[in-house]
Amino acid sequence: MTDASLNVCINCGRNEAEIPLTSWRLAGEIFWICPDCLPFLIHRRSEIMPKWRLAGWKVQQNEGESDAKR
Ligand SMILES: [Zn+2]
């Protein structure tokens, strides 16, 4: 059972009690990410961000629902 009051990494789901998290903003929306997942944001942003389903992120291809479910 996870504590809903803790922020979680948007990519791996670990919370701030387990790993340091930093917050990022996108179009007014805040998301949290851990150091392990930060490289994805830096180097593979166009690939990883559609999976996070942030409202501010324009998804280029809507059929990207394949089998990439984390
Ligand atoms: Zn993470």
Side-chain angles (χ1 to χ4, degrees):
M1 182 168 165
T2 53
D3 189 336
S5 69
L6 295 176
N7 295 303
V8 299
C9 172
I10 194 170
N11 192 58
C12 68
R14 284 180 287 181
N15 66 42
E16 64 187 63
E18 304 171 85
I19 196 162
L21 295 176
T22 54
S23 65
W24 294 73
R25 294 180 62 95
L26 178 71
E29 187 173 8
I30 297 175
F31 62 96
W32 298 81
I33 196 161
C34 77
D36 291 346
C37 299
L38 186 55
F40 288 103
L41 182 64
I42 296 171
H43 300 293
R44 302 169 72 179
R45 189 165 62 240
S46 61
E47 178 183 334
I48 196 78
M49 286 200 71
K51 299 178 184 177
W52 298 344
R53 305 181 182 288
L54 292 164
W57 179 256
K58 297 185 202 75
V59 182
Q60 279 92 2
Q61 74 275 23
N62 267 335
E63 80 277 23
E65 292 289 316
S66 62
D67 48 356
K69 278 268 179 185
R70 277 191 205 163

Short mmCIF file of all heavy atoms in Angstrom, two decimals:
data_model
loop_
_atom_site.label_atom_id
_atom_site.label_comp_id
_atom_site.label_asym_id
_atom_site.label_seq_id
_atom_site.Cartn_x
_atom_site.Cartn_y
_atom_site.Cartn_z
N MET A 1 0.85 -1.19 0.00
CA MET A 1 0.00 0.00 0.00
C MET A 1 0.88 1.24 0.00
O MET A 1 1.78 1.39 0.81
CB MET A 1 -0.88 -0.02 1.24
CG MET A 1 -1.84 1.17 1.30
SD MET A 1 -3.05 0.89 2.59
CE MET A 1 -3.71 2.55 2.74
N THR A 2 0.63 2.10 -0.94
CA THR A 2 1.45 3.30 -1.05
C THR A 2 0.75 4.49 -0.39
O THR A 2 -0.47 4.60 -0.44
CB THR A 2 1.74 3.63 -2.51
OG1 THR A 2 0.51 3.69 -3.23
CG2 THR A 2 2.63 2.57 -3.14
N ASP A 3 1.55 5.32 0.21
CA ASP A 3 1.02 6.51 0.86
C ASP A 3 0.67 7.55 -0.20
O ASP A 3 1.53 8.03 -0.92
CB ASP A 3 2.09 7.06 1.82
CG ASP A 3 1.53 8.18 2.68
OD1 ASP A 3 0.54 8.82 2.25
OD2 ASP A 3 2.08 8.41 3.76
N ALA A 4 -0.56 7.90 -0.28
CA ALA A 4 -1.01 8.81 -1.33
C ALA A 4 -0.46 10.22 -1.15
O ALA A 4 -0.50 11.03 -2.07
CB ALA A 4 -2.53 8.84 -1.37
N SER A 5 0.05 10.50 0.06
CA SER A 5 0.57 11.84 0.29
C SER A 5 1.99 11.99 -0.23
O SER A 5 2.53 13.09 -0.27
CB SER A 5 0.51 12.18 1.78
OG SER A 5 1.44 11.37 2.48
N LEU A 6 2.61 10.86 -0.61
CA LEU A 6 3.96 10.92 -1.13
C LEU A 6 3.95 11.07 -2.65
O LEU A 6 3.16 10.44 -3.33
CB LEU A 6 4.73 9.65 -0.76
CG LEU A 6 4.99 9.41 0.73
CD1 LEU A 6 5.67 8.06 0.92
CD2 LEU A 6 5.82 10.52 1.33
N ASN A 7 4.83 11.91 -3.13
CA ASN A 7 4.95 12.04 -4.58
C ASN A 7 5.69 10.82 -5.12
O ASN A 7 6.54 10.25 -4.46
CB ASN A 7 5.71 13.31 -4.93
CG ASN A 7 4.94 14.55 -4.53
OD1 ASN A 7 3.81 14.74 -4.97
ND2 ASN A 7 5.52 15.37 -3.69
N VAL A 8 5.35 10.44 -6.34
CA VAL A 8 5.98 9.28 -6.96
C VAL A 8 6.61 9.67 -8.29
O VAL A 8 6.16 10.59 -8.97
CB VAL A 8 4.97 8.13 -7.19
CG1 VAL A 8 4.39 7.66 -5.88
CG2 VAL A 8 3.89 8.55 -8.15
N CYS A 9 7.67 8.95 -8.64
CA CYS A 9 8.31 9.15 -9.94
C CYS A 9 7.32 8.79 -11.04
O CYS A 9 6.70 7.73 -10.99
CB CYS A 9 9.56 8.28 -10.04
SG CYS A 9 10.29 8.29 -11.68
N ILE A 10 7.18 9.66 -11.98
CA ILE A 10 6.19 9.44 -13.04
C ILE A 10 6.57 8.25 -13.92
O ILE A 10 5.72 7.65 -14.56
CB ILE A 10 6.03 10.71 -13.90
CG1 ILE A 10 4.78 10.62 -14.77
CG2 ILE A 10 7.29 10.97 -14.73
CD1 ILE A 10 4.44 11.91 -15.45
N ASN A 11 7.83 7.89 -13.92
CA ASN A 11 8.28 6.82 -14.81
C ASN A 11 8.31 5.45 -14.13
O ASN A 11 7.81 4.48 -14.66
CB ASN A 11 9.66 7.15 -15.38
CG ASN A 11 10.03 6.23 -16.52
OD1 ASN A 11 9.33 6.15 -17.51
ND2 ASN A 11 11.13 5.52 -16.36
N CYS A 12 8.90 5.38 -12.94
CA CYS A 12 9.07 4.07 -12.31
C CYS A 12 8.12 3.87 -11.13
O CYS A 12 7.99 2.76 -10.64
CB CYS A 12 10.51 3.87 -11.85
SG CYS A 12 11.00 4.93 -10.49
N GLY A 13 7.50 4.91 -10.65
CA GLY A 13 6.51 4.77 -9.60
C GLY A 13 7.04 4.72 -8.19
O GLY A 13 6.27 4.59 -7.24
N ARG A 14 8.36 4.80 -8.03
CA ARG A 14 8.89 4.83 -6.68
C ARG A 14 8.58 6.18 -6.04
O ARG A 14 8.51 7.20 -6.72
CB ARG A 14 10.40 4.60 -6.70
CG ARG A 14 10.77 3.14 -6.93
CD ARG A 14 12.26 2.94 -6.94
NE ARG A 14 12.84 3.49 -8.18
CZ ARG A 14 14.14 3.42 -8.46
NH1 ARG A 14 14.98 2.88 -7.61
NH2 ARG A 14 14.59 3.91 -9.59
N ASN A 15 8.38 6.17 -4.72
CA ASN A 15 7.99 7.42 -4.08
C ASN A 15 9.16 8.09 -3.36
O ASN A 15 10.26 7.54 -3.28
CB ASN A 15 6.80 7.21 -3.13
CG ASN A 15 7.16 6.33 -1.95
OD1 ASN A 15 8.23 6.46 -1.36
ND2 ASN A 15 6.27 5.42 -1.60
N GLU A 16 8.89 9.26 -2.85
CA GLU A 16 9.95 10.08 -2.28
C GLU A 16 10.51 9.50 -0.98
O GLU A 16 11.53 9.98 -0.48
CB GLU A 16 9.43 11.49 -2.03
CG GLU A 16 8.30 11.55 -1.00
CD GLU A 16 7.69 12.94 -0.92
OE1 GLU A 16 7.13 13.40 -1.91
OE2 GLU A 16 7.81 13.56 0.14
N ALA A 17 9.86 8.49 -0.43
CA ALA A 17 10.42 7.82 0.74
C ALA A 17 11.48 6.81 0.33
O ALA A 17 12.28 6.37 1.15
CB ALA A 17 9.30 7.11 1.52
N GLU A 18 11.47 6.44 -0.94
CA GLU A 18 12.41 5.42 -1.44
C GLU A 18 13.59 6.01 -2.18
O GLU A 18 14.68 5.43 -2.20
CB GLU A 18 11.68 4.46 -2.40
CG GLU A 18 10.46 3.80 -1.81
CD GLU A 18 9.70 3.06 -2.89
OE1 GLU A 18 10.06 1.90 -3.14
OE2 GLU A 18 8.77 3.62 -3.48
N ILE A 19 13.37 7.14 -2.81
CA ILE A 19 14.39 7.68 -3.72
C ILE A 19 14.16 9.19 -3.84
O ILE A 19 13.02 9.64 -3.73
CB ILE A 19 14.28 6.97 -5.09
CG1 ILE A 19 15.55 7.20 -5.92
CG2 ILE A 19 13.02 7.37 -5.84
CD1 ILE A 19 15.70 6.22 -7.06
N PRO A 20 15.23 9.96 -4.03
CA PRO A 20 15.04 11.41 -4.20
C PRO A 20 14.24 11.71 -5.47
O PRO A 20 14.41 11.05 -6.49
CB PRO A 20 16.47 11.95 -4.34
CG PRO A 20 17.34 10.90 -3.76
CD PRO A 20 16.66 9.60 -4.04
N LEU A 21 13.39 12.67 -5.36
CA LEU A 21 12.58 13.07 -6.51
C LEU A 21 12.74 14.57 -6.74
O LEU A 21 12.86 15.34 -5.80
CB LEU A 21 11.10 12.76 -6.27
CG LEU A 21 10.70 11.31 -6.16
CD1 LEU A 21 9.22 11.21 -5.83
CD2 LEU A 21 11.01 10.56 -7.43
N THR A 22 12.71 14.93 -8.00
CA THR A 22 12.65 16.35 -8.34
C THR A 22 11.38 16.61 -9.12
O THR A 22 10.89 15.75 -9.84
CB THR A 22 13.86 16.79 -9.19
OG1 THR A 22 13.95 15.95 -10.33
CG2 THR A 22 15.14 16.71 -8.40
N SER A 23 10.85 17.81 -8.95
CA SER A 23 9.62 18.15 -9.65
C SER A 23 9.94 18.92 -10.93
O SER A 23 10.90 19.68 -10.99
CB SER A 23 8.70 18.99 -8.76
OG SER A 23 9.31 20.22 -8.47
N TRP A 24 9.13 18.69 -11.94
CA TRP A 24 9.24 19.39 -13.21
C TRP A 24 7.87 19.93 -13.55
O TRP A 24 6.85 19.42 -13.09
CB TRP A 24 9.70 18.42 -14.31
CG TRP A 24 11.08 17.92 -14.13
CD1 TRP A 24 11.48 17.00 -13.20
CD2 TRP A 24 12.25 18.30 -14.85
NE1 TRP A 24 12.84 16.80 -13.33
CE2 TRP A 24 13.33 17.57 -14.33
CE3 TRP A 24 12.46 19.19 -15.90
CZ2 TRP A 24 14.62 17.71 -14.83
CZ3 TRP A 24 13.74 19.32 -16.40
CH2 TRP A 24 14.81 18.59 -15.87
N ARG A 25 7.87 20.95 -14.35
CA ARG A 25 6.59 21.53 -14.76
C ARG A 25 6.46 21.46 -16.26
O ARG A 25 7.43 21.61 -16.99
CB ARG A 25 6.51 23.00 -14.31
CG ARG A 25 6.47 23.18 -12.81
CD ARG A 25 6.40 24.65 -12.48
NE ARG A 25 5.17 25.24 -13.02
CZ ARG A 25 4.06 25.38 -12.31
NH1 ARG A 25 4.02 24.98 -11.06
NH2 ARG A 25 2.99 25.93 -12.84
N LEU A 26 5.24 21.23 -16.70
CA LEU A 26 4.96 21.26 -18.13
C LEU A 26 3.58 21.86 -18.31
O LEU A 26 2.59 21.28 -17.88
CB LEU A 26 5.01 19.85 -18.72
CG LEU A 26 4.66 19.81 -20.22
CD1 LEU A 26 5.77 20.42 -21.04
CD2 LEU A 26 4.42 18.38 -20.66
N ALA A 27 3.54 23.02 -18.90
CA ALA A 27 2.26 23.67 -19.19
C ALA A 27 1.40 23.75 -17.94
O ALA A 27 0.20 23.51 -17.97
CB ALA A 27 1.52 22.92 -20.30
N GLY A 28 2.01 24.07 -16.81
CA GLY A 28 1.27 24.25 -15.57
C GLY A 28 1.06 22.97 -14.79
O GLY A 28 0.60 22.99 -13.66
N GLU A 29 1.40 21.84 -15.39
CA GLU A 29 1.25 20.55 -14.72
C GLU A 29 2.58 20.14 -14.10
O GLU A 29 3.63 20.31 -14.71
CB GLU A 29 0.82 19.49 -15.75
CG GLU A 29 0.49 18.15 -15.13
CD GLU A 29 -0.11 17.21 -16.17
OE1 GLU A 29 -0.11 17.56 -17.36
OE2 GLU A 29 -0.56 16.14 -15.80
N ILE A 30 2.54 19.65 -12.87
CA ILE A 30 3.76 19.25 -12.18
C ILE A 30 3.87 17.74 -12.18
O ILE A 30 2.90 17.03 -11.94
CB ILE A 30 3.74 19.75 -10.71
CG1 ILE A 30 3.73 21.28 -10.69
CG2 ILE A 30 4.94 19.21 -9.96
CD1 ILE A 30 3.57 21.86 -9.29
N PHE A 31 5.04 17.25 -12.52
CA PHE A 31 5.30 15.81 -12.38
C PHE A 31 6.64 15.63 -11.69
O PHE A 31 7.47 16.53 -11.65
CB PHE A 31 5.25 15.10 -13.73
CG PHE A 31 6.27 15.56 -14.75
CD1 PHE A 31 7.47 14.87 -14.91
CD2 PHE A 31 6.03 16.66 -15.54
CE1 PHE A 31 8.40 15.29 -15.85
CE2 PHE A 31 6.96 17.09 -16.48
CZ PHE A 31 8.15 16.40 -16.64
N TRP A 32 6.85 14.43 -11.13
CA TRP A 32 8.04 14.13 -10.34
C TRP A 32 8.83 13.03 -11.01
O TRP A 32 8.26 12.13 -11.63
CB TRP A 32 7.62 13.70 -8.92
CG TRP A 32 6.89 14.77 -8.20
CD1 TRP A 32 5.57 15.09 -8.31
CD2 TRP A 32 7.44 15.70 -7.26
NE1 TRP A 32 5.27 16.16 -7.50
CE2 TRP A 32 6.40 16.55 -6.84
CE3 TRP A 32 8.72 15.90 -6.72
CZ2 TRP A 32 6.60 17.58 -5.92
CZ3 TRP A 32 8.91 16.92 -5.80
CH2 TRP A 32 7.86 17.76 -5.41
N ILE A 33 10.14 13.14 -10.87
CA ILE A 33 10.98 12.13 -11.52
C ILE A 33 12.21 11.87 -10.66
O ILE A 33 12.71 12.78 -10.00
CB ILE A 33 11.34 12.57 -12.96
CG1 ILE A 33 11.85 11.39 -13.78
CG2 ILE A 33 12.35 13.70 -12.95
CD1 ILE A 33 11.79 11.65 -15.26
N CYS A 34 12.68 10.63 -10.66
CA CYS A 34 13.82 10.25 -9.83
C CYS A 34 15.11 10.30 -10.66
O CYS A 34 15.06 10.36 -11.89
CB CYS A 34 13.60 8.85 -9.24
SG CYS A 34 13.88 7.52 -10.43
N PRO A 35 16.26 10.25 -9.99
CA PRO A 35 17.53 10.33 -10.73
C PRO A 35 17.72 9.20 -11.73
O PRO A 35 18.35 9.40 -12.77
CB PRO A 35 18.60 10.25 -9.62
CG PRO A 35 17.89 10.60 -8.37
CD PRO A 35 16.46 10.20 -8.54
N ASP A 36 17.18 8.03 -11.42
CA ASP A 36 17.35 6.90 -12.33
C ASP A 36 16.59 7.11 -13.64
O ASP A 36 16.97 6.59 -14.68
CB ASP A 36 16.85 5.61 -11.68
CG ASP A 36 17.77 5.18 -10.54
OD1 ASP A 36 18.89 5.71 -10.45
OD2 ASP A 36 17.35 4.33 -9.74
N CYS A 37 15.49 7.83 -13.56
CA CYS A 37 14.65 8.00 -14.74
C CYS A 37 14.92 9.32 -15.44
O CYS A 37 14.47 9.51 -16.58
CB CYS A 37 13.18 7.92 -14.34
SG CYS A 37 12.74 6.32 -13.63
N LEU A 38 15.66 10.20 -14.79
CA LEU A 38 15.94 11.49 -15.40
C LEU A 38 16.63 11.38 -16.76
O LEU A 38 16.32 12.14 -17.68
CB LEU A 38 16.78 12.34 -14.44
CG LEU A 38 17.04 13.79 -14.86
CD1 LEU A 38 15.75 14.53 -15.14
CD2 LEU A 38 17.85 14.49 -13.79
N PRO A 39 17.55 10.42 -16.94
CA PRO A 39 18.18 10.30 -18.27
C PRO A 39 17.18 10.06 -19.40
O PRO A 39 17.42 10.47 -20.53
CB PRO A 39 19.12 9.09 -18.10
CG PRO A 39 19.44 9.09 -16.65
CD PRO A 39 18.18 9.55 -15.96
N PHE A 40 16.07 9.40 -19.08
CA PHE A 40 15.06 9.22 -20.12
C PHE A 40 14.49 10.56 -20.56
O PHE A 40 14.26 10.80 -21.74
CB PHE A 40 13.91 8.33 -19.60
CG PHE A 40 14.29 6.90 -19.45
CD1 PHE A 40 14.55 6.37 -18.20
CD2 PHE A 40 14.36 6.07 -20.55
CE1 PHE A 40 14.90 5.04 -18.05
CE2 PHE A 40 14.70 4.74 -20.42
CZ PHE A 40 14.98 4.23 -19.16
N LEU A 41 14.27 11.42 -19.57
CA LEU A 41 13.71 12.72 -19.88
C LEU A 41 14.68 13.54 -20.72
O LEU A 41 14.30 14.30 -21.59
CB LEU A 41 13.37 13.46 -18.57
CG LEU A 41 12.71 14.83 -18.74
CD1 LEU A 41 11.36 14.71 -19.41
CD2 LEU A 41 12.56 15.51 -17.39
N ILE A 42 15.96 13.37 -20.44
CA ILE A 42 16.97 14.15 -21.13
C ILE A 42 17.24 13.59 -22.53
O ILE A 42 17.26 14.33 -23.51
CB ILE A 42 18.29 14.15 -20.32
CG1 ILE A 42 18.06 14.87 -18.98
CG2 ILE A 42 19.39 14.84 -21.11
CD1 ILE A 42 19.24 14.74 -18.02
N HIS A 43 17.44 12.29 -22.62
CA HIS A 43 17.94 11.72 -23.87
C HIS A 43 16.85 11.12 -24.74
O HIS A 43 17.05 10.94 -25.94
CB HIS A 43 18.99 10.64 -23.57
CG HIS A 43 20.18 11.16 -22.82
ND1 HIS A 43 21.07 12.05 -23.38
CD2 HIS A 43 20.61 10.94 -21.56
CE1 HIS A 43 22.01 12.34 -22.48
NE2 HIS A 43 21.76 11.69 -21.37
N ARG A 44 15.75 10.72 -24.16
CA ARG A 44 14.72 10.01 -24.94
C ARG A 44 13.35 10.62 -24.70
O ARG A 44 12.35 9.93 -24.59
CB ARG A 44 14.73 8.53 -24.57
CG ARG A 44 16.10 7.90 -24.80
CD ARG A 44 16.18 6.53 -24.19
NE ARG A 44 15.38 5.58 -24.95
CZ ARG A 44 15.28 4.29 -24.64
NH1 ARG A 44 15.94 3.80 -23.63
NH2 ARG A 44 14.53 3.49 -25.36
N ARG A 45 13.34 11.95 -24.65
CA ARG A 45 12.13 12.65 -24.25
C ARG A 45 10.95 12.35 -25.18
O ARG A 45 9.84 12.08 -24.71
CB ARG A 45 12.40 14.16 -24.21
CG ARG A 45 11.28 14.95 -23.60
CD ARG A 45 11.74 16.35 -23.25
NE ARG A 45 12.18 17.10 -24.43
CZ ARG A 45 13.42 17.58 -24.58
NH1 ARG A 45 14.29 17.43 -23.64
NH2 ARG A 45 13.73 18.25 -25.66
N SER A 46 11.18 12.43 -26.47
CA SER A 46 10.06 12.25 -27.40
C SER A 46 9.53 10.82 -27.35
O SER A 46 8.39 10.55 -27.73
CB SER A 46 10.49 12.59 -28.82
OG SER A 46 11.54 11.74 -29.23
N GLU A 47 10.36 9.91 -26.88
CA GLU A 47 9.95 8.51 -26.80
C GLU A 47 9.20 8.21 -25.50
O GLU A 47 8.22 7.48 -25.48
CB GLU A 47 11.20 7.65 -26.89
CG GLU A 47 10.97 6.17 -26.79
CD GLU A 47 12.30 5.42 -26.80
OE1 GLU A 47 13.27 5.96 -27.36
OE2 GLU A 47 12.36 4.32 -26.25
N ILE A 48 9.68 8.81 -24.41
CA ILE A 48 9.16 8.44 -23.10
C ILE A 48 7.97 9.29 -22.66
O ILE A 48 7.07 8.82 -22.00
CB ILE A 48 10.30 8.51 -22.04
CG1 ILE A 48 9.91 7.76 -20.77
CG2 ILE A 48 10.66 9.95 -21.69
CD1 ILE A 48 10.04 6.27 -20.89
N MET A 49 7.95 10.53 -23.07
CA MET A 49 6.91 11.42 -22.54
C MET A 49 5.50 11.06 -22.95
O MET A 49 4.57 11.23 -22.15
CB MET A 49 7.24 12.88 -22.87
CG MET A 49 8.37 13.38 -21.99
SD MET A 49 8.46 15.16 -21.87
CE MET A 49 7.02 15.51 -20.87
N PRO A 50 5.29 10.54 -24.15
CA PRO A 50 3.91 10.14 -24.47
C PRO A 50 3.36 9.09 -23.53
O PRO A 50 2.15 9.01 -23.30
CB PRO A 50 4.03 9.59 -25.90
CG PRO A 50 5.20 10.31 -26.47
CD PRO A 50 6.16 10.45 -25.32
N LYS A 51 4.23 8.27 -22.94
CA LYS A 51 3.77 7.23 -22.03
C LYS A 51 3.28 7.79 -20.70
O LYS A 51 2.60 7.13 -19.95
CB LYS A 51 4.91 6.24 -21.77
CG LYS A 51 5.39 5.55 -23.03
CD LYS A 51 6.55 4.62 -22.72
CE LYS A 51 7.08 4.00 -24.01
NZ LYS A 51 8.25 3.14 -23.78
N TRP A 52 3.71 9.00 -20.40
CA TRP A 52 3.34 9.60 -19.12
C TRP A 52 1.98 10.28 -19.18
O TRP A 52 1.39 10.64 -18.17
CB TRP A 52 4.41 10.60 -18.69
CG TRP A 52 5.74 9.98 -18.46
CD1 TRP A 52 6.01 8.64 -18.31
CD2 TRP A 52 7.01 10.65 -18.37
NE1 TRP A 52 7.36 8.46 -18.13
CE2 TRP A 52 7.99 9.67 -18.16
CE3 TRP A 52 7.38 11.99 -18.44
CZ2 TRP A 52 9.34 10.00 -18.01
CZ3 TRP A 52 8.71 12.31 -18.30
CH2 TRP A 52 9.69 11.33 -18.09
N ARG A 53 1.51 10.52 -20.40
CA ARG A 53 0.17 11.08 -20.60
C ARG A 53 -0.03 12.40 -19.87
O ARG A 53 -1.06 12.64 -19.24
CB ARG A 53 -0.90 10.09 -20.15
CG ARG A 53 -0.76 8.74 -20.84
CD ARG A 53 -1.84 7.77 -20.40
NE ARG A 53 -1.64 6.49 -21.03
CZ ARG A 53 -1.87 6.25 -22.33
NH1 ARG A 53 -2.33 7.21 -23.09
NH2 ARG A 53 -1.64 5.07 -22.84
N LEU A 54 0.95 13.26 -19.95
CA LEU A 54 0.78 14.60 -19.40
C LEU A 54 -0.10 15.42 -20.34
O LEU A 54 0.04 15.33 -21.54
CB LEU A 54 2.14 15.28 -19.23
CG LEU A 54 3.04 14.64 -18.17
CD1 LEU A 54 4.48 15.10 -18.35
CD2 LEU A 54 2.55 15.00 -16.78
N ALA A 55 -0.97 16.19 -19.72
CA ALA A 55 -1.92 16.96 -20.53
C ALA A 55 -1.21 17.95 -21.44
O ALA A 55 -1.65 18.22 -22.55
CB ALA A 55 -2.91 17.68 -19.62
N GLY A 56 -0.09 18.48 -20.96
CA GLY A 56 0.59 19.51 -21.72
C GLY A 56 1.45 18.97 -22.84
O GLY A 56 1.99 19.74 -23.63
N TRP A 57 1.61 17.68 -22.89
CA TRP A 57 2.48 17.09 -23.91
C TRP A 57 1.67 16.72 -25.13
O TRP A 57 0.70 15.97 -25.05
CB TRP A 57 3.17 15.84 -23.36
CG TRP A 57 4.06 15.17 -24.36
CD1 TRP A 57 3.80 14.02 -25.04
CD2 TRP A 57 5.35 15.58 -24.78
NE1 TRP A 57 4.85 13.71 -25.87
CE2 TRP A 57 5.82 14.65 -25.72
CE3 TRP A 57 6.18 16.67 -24.44
CZ2 TRP A 57 7.06 14.77 -26.34
CZ3 TRP A 57 7.41 16.78 -25.06
CH2 TRP A 57 7.84 15.84 -25.98
N LYS A 58 2.07 17.27 -26.26
CA LYS A 58 1.36 16.95 -27.49
C LYS A 58 1.85 15.61 -28.02
O LYS A 58 2.99 15.46 -28.40
CB LYS A 58 1.61 18.03 -28.53
CG LYS A 58 1.10 19.39 -28.11
CD LYS A 58 1.27 20.37 -29.26
CE LYS A 58 1.30 21.80 -28.77
NZ LYS A 58 2.57 22.16 -28.11
N VAL A 59 0.95 14.66 -28.02
CA VAL A 59 1.31 13.34 -28.54
C VAL A 59 1.21 13.36 -30.05
O VAL A 59 0.17 13.64 -30.62
CB VAL A 59 0.37 12.25 -27.96
CG1 VAL A 59 0.79 10.88 -28.46
CG2 VAL A 59 0.39 12.29 -26.46
N GLN A 60 2.34 13.06 -30.67
CA GLN A 60 2.37 13.12 -32.12
C GLN A 60 1.62 11.95 -32.74
O GLN A 60 0.84 12.09 -33.66
CB GLN A 60 3.81 13.13 -32.64
CG GLN A 60 4.44 14.51 -32.58
CD GLN A 60 5.18 14.73 -31.28
OE1 GLN A 60 5.22 13.84 -30.45
NE2 GLN A 60 5.75 15.91 -31.09
N GLN A 61 1.88 10.77 -32.21
CA GLN A 61 1.22 9.61 -32.79
C GLN A 61 0.30 8.97 -31.75
O GLN A 61 0.70 8.62 -30.68
CB GLN A 61 2.22 8.59 -33.32
CG GLN A 61 2.96 7.76 -32.29
CD GLN A 61 4.19 8.49 -31.78
OE1 GLN A 61 4.27 9.70 -31.84
NE2 GLN A 61 5.14 7.75 -31.24
N ASN A 62 -0.97 8.85 -32.10
CA ASN A 62 -1.95 8.32 -31.16
C ASN A 62 -1.99 6.81 -31.14
O ASN A 62 -2.60 6.21 -30.27
CB ASN A 62 -3.35 8.86 -31.49
CG ASN A 62 -3.65 10.12 -30.70
OD1 ASN A 62 -3.08 10.32 -29.64
ND2 ASN A 62 -4.53 10.95 -31.21
N GLU A 63 -1.38 6.19 -32.11
CA GLU A 63 -1.41 4.73 -32.16
C GLU A 63 -0.27 4.12 -31.38
O GLU A 63 -0.04 2.93 -31.43
CB GLU A 63 -1.39 4.24 -33.61
CG GLU A 63 -0.02 4.23 -34.25
CD GLU A 63 0.36 5.60 -34.80
OE1 GLU A 63 -0.21 6.61 -34.32
OE2 GLU A 63 1.20 5.66 -35.69
N GLY A 64 0.45 4.94 -30.61
CA GLY A 64 1.60 4.44 -29.87
C GLY A 64 1.23 3.62 -28.66
O GLY A 64 1.94 3.61 -27.66
N GLU A 65 0.15 2.91 -28.71
CA GLU A 65 -0.34 2.16 -27.57
C GLU A 65 0.20 0.73 -27.52
O GLU A 65 -0.24 -0.06 -26.71
CB GLU A 65 -1.87 2.08 -27.61
CG GLU A 65 -2.54 3.41 -27.37
CD GLU A 65 -2.40 3.87 -25.95
OE1 GLU A 65 -2.57 3.04 -25.04
OE2 GLU A 65 -2.10 5.04 -25.73
N SER A 66 1.11 0.40 -28.38
CA SER A 66 1.58 -0.97 -28.61
C SER A 66 1.69 -1.84 -27.36
O SER A 66 0.76 -1.96 -26.58
CB SER A 66 2.92 -0.93 -29.31
OG SER A 66 3.86 -0.27 -28.48
N ASP A 67 2.81 -2.47 -27.15
CA ASP A 67 2.95 -3.34 -26.00
C ASP A 67 3.92 -2.74 -24.98
O ASP A 67 4.33 -3.38 -24.05
CB ASP A 67 3.43 -4.73 -26.43
CG ASP A 67 4.61 -4.64 -27.38
OD1 ASP A 67 4.97 -3.52 -27.74
OD2 ASP A 67 5.15 -5.68 -27.74
N ALA A 68 4.25 -1.49 -25.14
CA ALA A 68 5.18 -0.82 -24.24
C ALA A 68 4.45 -0.33 -23.02
O ALA A 68 4.16 0.84 -22.87
CB ALA A 68 5.86 0.32 -24.97
N LYS A 69 4.15 -1.23 -22.14
CA LYS A 69 3.40 -0.87 -20.92
C LYS A 69 4.31 -0.86 -19.71
O LYS A 69 3.98 -1.46 -18.68
CB LYS A 69 2.27 -1.88 -20.71
CG LYS A 69 1.04 -1.59 -21.52
CD LYS A 69 0.07 -0.74 -20.73
CE LYS A 69 -1.16 -0.43 -21.58
NZ LYS A 69 -2.07 0.48 -20.89
N ARG A 70 5.43 -0.19 -19.79
CA ARG A 70 6.41 -0.19 -18.71
C ARG A 70 7.02 -1.57 -18.57
O ARG A 70 6.62 -2.31 -17.69
CB ARG A 70 5.81 0.17 -17.35
CG ARG A 70 5.69 1.66 -17.15
CD ARG A 70 5.35 1.93 -15.70
NE ARG A 70 4.67 3.23 -15.61
CZ ARG A 70 3.98 3.60 -14.57
NH1 ARG A 70 3.89 2.85 -13.54
NH2 ARG A 70 3.39 4.76 -14.56
ZN ZN B 1 12.00 6.80 -11.54
#
